[in-house]
Each structure stands twice: as C-alpha cells, then as structure tokens.
Amino acid sequence: MLEVKHLTKSYQKDKPALTDISFSVEPGNFLAIIGPSGAGKTTILRSLNQLIKDDDGQILLDGSDIRSDNKSQLRKHRRQIGMVFQNYNLVERLTVIENVLHGRLGYKSTFAGMFGIYSEDEKREALDLLDKVGLKDFALQRCSELSGGQKQRVGIARSLIQHPKVILCDEPIASLDPASSHTVMHLLKKLTVEFNIICVANLHQINLAKKYADRIVGIRQGKLVFDEESDMLSEEILETLYDQTISKELK
Amino acid sequence: MSSPIKFLAQKHRKQTAIIAVIGSIYVLSSWILNFDNFSGFTAVPKAFNWLGVNFFPTAESVELLPRIWQKLIETVALAVSSTVVAAIIALFVAILGSKATGINNYVHVVVRGIASFFRNIPLVAWAMILLFSFKQSDFTGFLALLLMTVGYLIRAFMEIIEDEASETMMALKATGASYFQVIFQAVLPQIMPSLISWVLYMIENNVRDATLVGILTGTGIGFIFDLYFKSFRFDAVGMTILAIIIVVITLEVLSNQIRKVIL
Ligand SMILES: Nc1ncnc2c1ncn2[C@@H]1O[C@H](COP(=O)(O)OP(=O)(O)O)[C@@H](O)[C@H]1O
Ligand SMILES: [Mg+2]
C-alpha cells in the first residue's frame, strides 16, 4: 500500500506548492490526480520517488518511509517505483529493447549497468513485456523511429520490467492523439489489475480519468480538494476545482 | 508590470536603438581607422586582380606539390589530434560541470569561467605565449589549438548535456540507476550525435587555424607558406593556398556526409 501523509513542499519561501496532502492507494488500484495547470500534480508525483525533495510529511510504501532513505535505500525504493513521462524520456538513439532493459539498471552492479550487460532472463522478460504492450516486432527498432503512442508503450514496458509496486505517470497521454490515448490508458488499467500494482496518473482529461481510474484526487493550488470514487465525481466538484463550468467534459 | 502593448513598443524601440548604435559604431570606427568607405570598396576588385595575376600557380609551382602535400598532411594531423584530445578532456570536464550531471552549482560556475578564459584568449596569443616554453615545434601548435578548442568544447558540451540529456537522465534516475549507469546508458548515447557534430566542426576550423599557428611555430603548411611568401615565390604561395582550400573543402564535404549518417 502507498500512503502519503501531510506532504508539504514550497519551492520559494512563503509560496507553498503543496500543503498537507494526504491520500492512500491499495495495490490493483488506479488513482488519477486531476487539477488545473500549476496546481502541484507534478510536484506530488516527483516527491513520491524523491526526484523532488519535499519539505515535510511521510511517504510510506508498504509501511517504510521513502523520505528517510539514505542513498542506497532510496535506490532500492526507486526500483520498485516505475515512472512514465509525458515526453516518454527514452534514449531515442538506442533500440526499443535497450530502453526496456534500462528498467533493470536499479538491480544491477554499477559496472554491468554502465556497459549494458543483461542476463538472458532479463532479455527474455523484456521481449515478453514488449509482446504485452503490443510491440513484439519492434524490439530492434530505434526509438526515434516510433510514433508517440508506441514510445509511450516502450516507456510502460521499461517501468514494468522493474517489477514495480507502483507506477507513476505524469500526463502520460498529454502528447498523444485520442486513439493512442485510449490505447495507453487501457493498457495502464489492464496492467494495474493484472500485476496487482498501484498506478498513480496525473491527467488533464477528466472524461478519461472517470473512465479508467478507480479513484480520483483533485488538487487545487497545492491543496487536496477532494478524494472520491471516480463514479462520485460530480459537476459541482469539478466547478470548484477548475473555477468554471466544464459539464461538456463530463460527457 | 507594464502592459503587453507598452512592452512591444518598448521592444521595438530597443531594436531600433540597437541598430542605430551598431551603425554609429561602424561610422565611428571607419573614422578612427581613416577608412574611406568608397575607395575601400573600389579597391577590392583591383586587389583581387593583382592577386589573380601574381599568385597564379605556374608549372614550376606544380613541382612543389609533393612537398606541399606532405606539410599539409602534417597540419591536418595536428588539427585532428589536438581536436580529438581536446574533445576527450572537454567531455570529462563538461560532465563534471554541467547543471544536469555536474557536482554542484559552484563547480558549474568555475568550469564556465575556465572555459571562457581558454576560449577568449586569441589563438595567436596562446601560440606566442607557449613559444616561450616549448620553442618552435609541433607541440607548441598542438597545445595552442588544444587549449582554445577545450574552451569552446567545454561550453558546447555542457549546453548539449543540459538541453538533450536532462529528461532521459531523470527517467533513468527514477528506475534506481546509479550515477555512472545514468551517464553511460542515458547521457552519452543521447548526446553522441551532437557531440560528434561539434568535434567535426572544430576539426574543420582547426585545420584553418593550424595553418596560421604553423606560421608562428615554423611547422606544417604554415611554415612553407611563410617561407615561399618571404622569398617572393608568389606562385608557390598561390599553389599552397589552393591546396589548403581543396583540403578544407574536402573536409567540410566529408564531415557533412558523416553528419548526415549519424544524425
Ligand atoms: N522547479 C521549480 N521551481 C520553482 N517553482 C516551481 C518549480 N516547479 C514547479 N514550481 C511551481 O510549483 C507549482 C506546482 O507546479 P507543478 O507541480 O508543476 O504543477 P502541475 O503539474 O499541476 O501543473 C507551480 O506554481 C509551479 O510554478
Ligand atoms: Mg505537471
């Protein structure tokens, strides 16, 4: 279980980016974080694997606090937390399978990792995962030659090979066309259930959040304004979140 | 805060002012240098005509080709070796100094300062300073080119790392990869094309500059250029220049081809 308690962060003095954020997610659940731009969604997500050092609070993964980790403990925690990015953040010059295998780096000795030496099992698993995300025939293709949707699926495979307890997705579909968006969201939802992992995704599209997420957390100006089952999300709540009527989006 | 309209008007005024300042600097410097613009321009064709007549390679100068060729190869080798060594040094320093991969901001500022220092001392000044210690030798030229190139490449490499590798670095850091794993698996592969492109560009530049340095250090193609020039063998000078031009253009075409393949 992932538990966030009283998370607080400010980049500049007296300008809090996050104030007292608390929520928790059980394995097999998909949590969407929604809210206007600049609300603090990215800050929350990056605090969860400590790419950003927050100021106060607790982040408990199965009871152990990531925030009090030393360097090697943090490395062990990070390899249990996959991350999927809006811009995919792949090494474009390398092949698809090399990028997937990068997800194993956290488990490898520095030397083996530096020179990309992977075991047969790891390679086989990478191919299996590529099959799972629908890219079986692309293993040896350069990532720069893929479409956005395909790149994002490579990103998902890279996070899965970490054997993660949690996958964090920061606007995973914001750069994708509607069809690819659905493919990626569907895939994330399916894998969350299949591997019994926790998926936390920042999303802009409220309709997709409602469709795929089990629960939705709303953030506004760094504060948590609601935390509901996704079916419970009403127009009134959205109005307070975005300061405007967006009933169209709900349909 | 000023309104957008005010801001745009101000920006426009600023641009006009900058153009006016550049114009006045030109007029002022022409006046200081006693440079008569009109006769300056009319003198250009005459100068070219004179060059064409006196520097035209003759049958005799063609006989000098093997010697010129040998010296030219020496010079190209000097340029290539100094650039490659400079690139290796610069890559190390840039990794230590860039905002994305570096040690800290203090180191970043120091590295930028050092790079700027090496870059901004003119090549000729480097060569003259180094002549004191290393006399007229290939090594002096090598070192002068090396130091200047290191200055250019450190800055270029730092910017490339910051622009092109920050995002992938973050992704690998998030998987739990260690620092050296991130450098080797994300940063280096990601920046390699831009890096090679810069090295090729510096080699092209350094072949030209190595000629100049050779005049001072008495080595390579610069040396025989100087020799022929001072002994009034203008036809041979013309031949030398022609050979340099051919080599420089060949290198440019070659490196453009390489760029096309790697980018
Ligand atoms: N590196 C940073 N330095 C200073 N302020 C930042 C930085 N990153 C984010 N912020 C500020 O923190 C707030 C939350 O940003 P962010 O988490 O990126 O929001 P979101 O992802 O919801 O759009 C914004 O006001 C933003 O300007
Ligand atoms: Mg964001």
Side-chain angles (χ1 to χ4, degrees):
Chain A
M1 187 160 89
L2 176 71
E3 294 165 280
V4 177
K5 291 181 181 170
H6 313 298
L7 191 66
T8 302
K9 163 80 181 172
S10 50
Y11 292 99
Q12 290 143 13
K13 256 193 190 156
D14 304 324
K15 269 180 140 185
L18 296 179
T19 326
D20 195 16
I21 302 285
S22 302
F23 60 87
S24 63
V25 203
E26 300 277 351
N29 276 291
F30 192 127
L31 176 82
I33 302 179
I34 63 171
S37 291
K41 303 182 295 296
T42 297
T43 308
I44 294 179
L45 224 59
R46 290 191 183 168
S47 299
L48 295 184
N49 59 4
Q50 296 289 292
L51 285 176
I52 289 178
K53 298 287 172 216
D54 51 83
D55 300 338
D56 202 9
Q58 281 184 308
I59 297 163
L60 304 170
L61 183 57
D62 290 338
S64 83
D65 194 349
I66 295 181
R67 297 185 65 259
S68 55
D69 280 349
N70 63 29
K71 233 179 154 179
S72 78
Q73 287 168 327
L74 179 60
R75 198 176 167 214
K76 287 192 180 118
H77 260 136
R78 275 184 178 161
R79 67 191 191 193
Q80 302 176 352
I81 305 175
M83 197 165 206
V84 170
F85 299 83
Q86 176 180 344
N87 299 321
Y88 329 117
N89 296 20
L90 305 171
V91 184
E92 301 263 330
R93 305 241 327 131
L94 298 183
T95 57
V96 167
I97 190 156
E98 284 172 294
N99 271 282
V100 175
L101 285 166
H102 279 165
R104 294 305 298 171
L105 287 175
Y107 292 93
K108 303 204 81 71
S109 73
T110 291
F111 181 84
M114 271 165 72
F115 298 103
I117 302 165
Y118 301 98
S119 72
E120 288 304 310
D121 283 346
E122 284 171 322
K123 290 176 201 164
R124 215 166 306 122
E125 188 181 0
L127 287 172
D128 287 346
L129 285 170
L130 280 175
D131 194 11
K132 233 176 192 64
V133 299
L135 294 173
K136 199 173 73 180
D137 301 328
F138 291 83
L140 295 180
Q141 199 132 337
R142 259 203 210 174
C143 282
S144 52
E145 295 162 358
L146 302 182
S147 73
Q150 291 169 332
K151 283 181 189 172
Q152 197 56 297
R153 284 183 275 154
V154 176
I156 292 171
R158 176 175 68 187
S159 72
L160 285 175
I161 205 169
Q162 290 177 239
H163 301 160
K165 289 180 177 167
V166 183
I167 293 187
L168 308 171
C169 312
D170 197 357
E171 314 266 1
I173 52 171
S175 308
L176 300 181
D177 61 85
S180 312
S181 294
H182 274 281
T183 314
V184 165
M185 288 301 291
H186 182 79
L187 191 62
L188 284 171
K189 171 74 184 167
K190 192 185 96 183
L191 296 166
T192 301
V193 176
E194 184 179 341
F195 291 97
N196 196 33
I197 48 187
I198 293 164
C199 185
V200 182
N202 290 345
L203 290 172
H204 261 124
Q205 297 85 337
I206 292 152
N207 54 339
L208 292 183
K210 272 195 78 133
K211 183 166 175 199
Y212 291 103
D214 301 300
R215 244 185 47 239
I216 299 183
V217 161
I219 305 291
R220 191 185 127 107
Q221 296 177 354
K223 296 192 184 86
L224 192 143
V225 293
F226 66 82
D227 178 352
E228 308 258 11
E229 301 282 312
S230 44
D231 314 330
M232 305 292 288
L233 197 67
S234 68
E235 249 175 85
E236 290 143 68
I237 295 177
L238 288 175
E239 265 176 54
T240 55
L241 186 63
Y242 288 97
D243 275 332
Q244 57 194 321
T245 317
I246 41 167
S247 48
K248 261 183 271 164
E249 287 247 13
L250 266 177
K251 291 167 198 157
Chain B
M1 237 184 93
S2 57
S3 75
I5 294 167
K6 235 176 166 174
F7 170 79
L8 289 176
Q10 260 175 11
K11 193 170 172 188
H12 192 78
R13 263 200 304 269
K14 250 188 228 158
Q15 282 165 349
T16 315
I18 289 170
I19 291 167
V21 167
I22 292 172
S24 359
I25 289 174
Y26 178 73
V27 171
L28 189 71
S29 19
S30 305
W31 179 69
I32 291 173
L33 294 174
N34 261 329
F35 182 69
D36 183 344
N37 274 310
F38 187 68
S39 70
F41 286 124
T42 51
V44 172
K46 251 193 254 165
F48 270 107
N49 197 25
W50 187 83
L51 278 177
V53 172
N54 284 283
F55 283 73
F56 197 80
T58 59
E60 264 171 76
S61 39
V62 173
E63 277 168 30
L64 296 170
L65 257 181
R67 179 133 189 261
I68 293 175
W69 186 243
Q70 185 212 338
K71 288 287 174 192
L72 205 51
I73 287 179
E74 276 176 38
T75 300
V76 171
L78 183 73
V80 172
S81 60
S82 61
T83 312
V84 169
V85 176
I88 293 168
I89 297 171
L91 183 59
F92 266 107
V93 179
I95 287 174
L96 294 178
S98 89
K99 274 190 199 143
T101 55
I103 299 167
N104 56 33
N105 201 43
Y106 177 73
V107 175
H108 172 73
V109 172
V110 171
V111 167
R112 270 193 87 99
I114 293 172
S116 163
F117 175 79
F118 281 120
R119 203 170 54 236
N120 285 314
I121 291 185
L123 184 64
V124 175
W126 272 126
M128 309 247 282
I129 294 163
L130 294 169
L131 273 173
F132 281 113
S133 316
F134 301 103
K135 307 290 181 284
Q136 285 200 319
S137 69
D138 268 328
F139 189 70
T140 308
F142 174 82
L143 215 54
L145 285 169
L146 179 82
L147 292 176
M148 188 196 64
T149 311
V150 162
Y152 274 101
L153 287 183
I154 287 176
R155 175 174 158 180
F157 289 177
M158 285 207 299
E159 281 173 7
I160 290 170
I161 291 173
E162 284 158 20
D163 290 348
E164 299 181 12
S166 294
E167 290 202 325
T168 27
M169 268 190 76
M170 181 163 59
L172 289 219
K173 234 166 95 180
T175 67
S178 66
Y179 178 79
F180 287 104
Q181 292 175 343
V182 172
I183 298 289
F184 275 73
Q185 287 294 314
V187 178
L188 292 182
Q190 189 80 1
I191 66 173
M192 205 42 77
S194 310
L195 209 122
I196 292 173
S197 181
W198 258 95
V199 171
L200 291 172
Y201 172 75
M202 287 312 290
I203 287 177
E204 287 168 36
N205 252 326
N206 281 351
V207 168
R208 273 182 291 258
D209 284 347
T211 309
L212 183 69
V213 170
I215 296 177
L216 293 170
T217 59
T219 56
I221 194 78
F223 170 67
I224 50 172
F225 176 89
D226 198 38
L227 190 74
Y228 294 145
F229 197 87
K230 284 189 176 141
S231 51
F232 303 104
R233 291 280 315 267
F234 291 137
D235 61 319
V237 173
M239 191 73 232
T240 311
I241 294 174
L242 196 68
I244 295 173
I245 291 173
I246 290 170
V247 166
V248 168
I249 290 177
T250 311
L251 274 176
E252 240 179 77
V253 171
L254 204 71
S255 65
N256 279 338
Q257 268 341 88
I258 298 176
R259 271 195 197 97
K260 255 190 220 151
V261 174
I262 58 164
L263 286 182

